[in-house]
Amino acid sequence: MTVNKFIRKLLNLTGLSVTGFSFMFRKRELHLWVKPHKNGCRCPHCKRRGRILRTMDEPRIWRDITICGWSVFLLYRPREILCPTHLRIQEDIPWADSYARITYRLEYVLLVYCQIMTQKAAAKILHIPKSTLSDMLHRTITRIRDGHRIRKLRSVGIDEISYAKGHKYATVVYDLDLGRVVWVGAGKGRETIDLFFTQQLSDYQRNQIKWACCDMSQAYIGAIEHHCPNAKLVLDRFHIVKALNETIDEVRKEQWREASDNERKALKGLRWLLFKHSTNRSKDDTDILNALKKGNRRIHRAWVLKDEFERFWEYKAPWAAERFLNNWTTTALKSRLEPLRKFVKTIRKNKHRLLPFIESRLTNATAEGLNRIIRMTKNRASGFRSLKAFTDMIFLTVGDVDIPAQIPARFRTI
Ligand SMILES: [Zn+2]
């Protein structure tokens, strides 16, 4: 076995021959002079062989994977060829995309590492500065998603995510059937979501949307009703529950403010207890809440109403659910709790957007998964300042394109 062949086997280099190598000891770099094996002088578009016109004076350099602490670089002087169809063109480089400065192999490793660890950790393993790695990742993901079209979108979910401290928001659009993110845009207003509907979807695609799910934000509701004439809007269960919890908390805070020092003792530690879903409560929890009946009737009343509302999601028949909603809102109004009145108002105004849930169940199945996706991408994005980096991570982990799978199969080695 020749030395070159040994290097080629060791580094698992396919489709190229090694013509020389040099070690840069100070920088811990291994430079490999390579050339396309057998398949040189091919047109990158039609893969046909072309006549060589000239060889580049300067070699191009591609960063490859890191092995045993050595950063591997490939060097080659590409040739300009004459393709019968595409005329003057630089020959196809089998180990990298036309304009990429890193090899397919490194792209694949980057993508897979960043799916399972933070960019910081991946940068450390690969001996690449983190900012360089972020740039490489961004270029790779952008190239792979370039020209991607959203397909078969029937159930659309829209939500906002804060991605950095200081109230920076992005709007995220999901395909609820796939449980995948199809789009991310800066901001959370009507202009942002309008961009999605007008730039990403055709008239036909907008008409094809049957279900849409979002929170109670008027911007999203308005946009869906404007752009998707055939869609039934369902308010997201998660957001309704959250709004109700906040309402109950409002009652608790009011009572806390009015309570004497002695009374406050009984109200301590109630906050999270009140938020708990009835099925997650222990017997002790329920005992504490029942004791409130004597301790603080107003909080107790609010809690009972919140507990009762859970039943809404279990109805199977829309007429029964509607009757429940009517009864519940009437009882809630009678409670004379000011924060609840506001909630009831919202519910009554949006009744026609709540009831489709009973029929569709669509959000029921996806809401939890959706929220898990949001949390996951958020955690992954911790430490990012820019929306660009955050979007990259969303597309890489929960996007509608399997990005690593787009790298040619023979380069998918780690
Ligand atoms: Zn060609």
Side-chain angles (χ1 to χ4, degrees):
M1 196 185 270
T2 63
V3 174
N4 283 356
K5 199 170 174 191
F6 170 73
I7 291 175
R8 223 168 65 214
K9 284 264 177 266
L10 179 73
L11 299 183
N12 209 351
L13 295 164
T14 48
L16 55 86
S17 338
V18 178
T19 55
F21 60 88
S22 52
F23 285 98
M24 309 279 153
F25 289 97
R26 227 158 28 120
K27 290 196 275 182
R28 299 283 297 166
E29 290 177 3
L30 166 59
H31 288 196
L32 293 176
W33 282 89
V34 297
K35 63 174 193 192
H37 184 57
K38 286 178 190 160
N39 288 320
C41 307
R42 303 237 170 221
C43 166
H45 302 299
C46 61
K47 305 290 173 202
R48 268 193 301 181
R49 228 172 239 279
R51 188 164 59 84
I52 299 172
L53 294 177
R54 66 181 191 104
T55 304
M56 294 262 231
D57 302 330
E58 287 293 315
R60 271 182 72 184
I61 302 176
W62 293 266
R63 190 180 191 122
D64 195 26
I65 51 169
T66 304
I67 184 160
C68 302
W70 293 100
S71 302
V72 180
F73 287 84
L74 306 185
L75 288 83
Y76 175 60
R77 281 196 192 93
R79 290 163 292 193
E80 205 172 45
I81 57 159
L82 188 69
C83 167
T85 319
H86 300 96
L87 308 175
R88 263 183 110 95
I89 199 158
Q90 195 179 98
E91 70 175 314
D92 183 44
I93 303 297
W95 54 84
D97 190 74
S98 304
Y99 299 103
R101 287 198 295 246
I102 61 176
T103 61
Y104 283 131
R105 290 211 303 185
L106 181 56
E107 286 184 341
Y108 183 72
V109 168
L110 268 179
L111 294 170
V112 172
Y113 279 7
C114 290
Q115 272 184 335
I116 54 179
M117 60 179 84
T118 61
Q119 292 190 12
K120 204 173 154 193
K124 196 161 184 186
I125 291 176
L126 294 165
H127 297 263
I128 300 173
K130 189 184 159 280
S131 58
T132 313
L133 181 133
S134 292
D135 286 345
M136 287 174 177
L137 192 69
H138 180 68
R139 249 178 259 138
T140 307
I141 292 173
T142 309
R143 190 193 77 230
I144 290 174
R145 285 191 63 92
D146 185 37
H148 165 70
R149 289 265 160 269
I150 295 167
R151 293 168 67 192
K152 291 185 183 160
L153 187 60
R154 298 286 175 273
S155 314
V156 60
I158 304 173
D159 205 355
E160 65 186 44
I161 290 188
S162 72
Y163 63 90
K165 281 190 188 128
H167 299 287
K168 283 188 175 170
Y169 287 95
T171 296
V172 178
V173 180
Y174 303 87
D175 179 329
L176 290 175
D177 298 327
L178 286 178
R180 299 255 135 194
V181 172
V182 292
W183 190 77
V184 181
K188 58 171 180 173
R190 176 73 190 258
E191 320 84 66
T192 307
I193 194 63
D194 275 346
L195 281 182
F196 169 72
F197 283 117
T198 53
Q199 294 186 348
Q200 301 293 314
L201 302 179
S202 65
D203 286 347
Y204 175 77
Q205 281 177 307
R206 287 195 291 272
N207 286 327
Q208 287 290 304
I209 296 174
K210 297 276 178 285
W211 295 99
C213 176
C214 66
D215 62 11
M216 282 172 282
S217 122
Q218 205 48 53
Y220 295 158
I221 293 175
I224 290 168
E225 288 176 348
H226 177 77
H227 293 290
C228 315
N230 301 324
K232 252 193 188 164
L233 183 68
V234 193
L235 288 183
D236 184 29
R237 172 180 172 171
F238 173 79
H239 284 98
I240 304 274
V241 172
K242 202 173 141 208
L244 181 55
N245 279 341
E246 278 163 9
T247 306
I248 302 303
D249 202 43
E250 211 40 57
V251 175
R252 184 192 62 84
K253 277 188 209 152
E254 257 177 26
Q255 295 303 305
W256 177 268
R257 278 194 293 270
E258 287 168 15
S260 66
D261 285 350
N262 212 19
E263 287 165 329
R264 280 186 182 183
K265 273 182 200 153
L267 301 181
K268 260 194 180 147
L270 267 183
R271 186 162 183 234
W272 300 109
L273 207 51
L274 287 167
F275 285 178
K276 273 190 182 174
H277 191 272
S278 60
T279 49
N280 295 334
R281 267 197 314 257
S282 68
K283 198 180 163 296
D284 286 352
D285 293 344
T286 311
D287 286 347
I288 295 173
L289 290 167
N290 279 328
L292 274 176
K293 201 170 182 177
K294 288 204 189 87
N296 189 308
R297 291 183 67 92
R298 291 175 83 80
I299 298 184
H300 182 259
R301 210 176 299 148
W303 166 64
V304 169
L305 280 164
K306 185 220 126 189
D307 243 25
E308 275 177 7
F309 195 80
E310 285 172 9
R311 276 172 48 211
F312 171 76
W313 311 107
E314 281 146 34
Y315 279 98
K316 298 279 186 293
W319 63 267
E322 189 172 2
R323 195 184 56 188
F324 169 83
L325 220 51
N326 290 340
N327 291 339
W328 187 88
T329 45
T330 312
T331 319
L333 280 185
K334 276 187 198 149
S335 72
R336 293 201 305 271
L337 298 166
E338 196 45 45
L340 262 160
R341 290 172 79 94
K342 256 192 268 163
F343 181 76
V344 167
K345 245 185 169 171
T346 321
I347 292 291
R348 284 198 167 155
K349 199 176 94 192
N350 289 299
K351 202 165 82 178
H352 63 292
R353 298 177 182 130
L354 260 164
L355 289 170
F357 170 84
I358 303 301
E359 199 189 327
S360 67
R361 295 276 144 191
L362 168 96
T363 44
N364 189 17
T366 43
E368 260 102 303
L370 223 116
N371 294 325
R372 214 177 310 130
I373 293 172
I374 295 171
R375 269 200 303 274
M376 195 170 84
T377 41
K378 237 179 169 175
N379 290 344
R380 249 175 224 294
S382 67
F384 293 118
R385 290 279 170 274
S386 73
L387 179 61
K388 191 179 86 174
F390 185 44
T391 309
D392 284 345
M393 289 320 292
I394 292 180
F395 282 143
L396 184 57
T397 49
V398 288
D400 57 339
V401 180
D402 184 350
I403 293 178
Q406 309 305 312
I407 301 285
R410 63 198 167 106
F411 298 108
R412 283 186 238 146
T413 47
I414 287 206

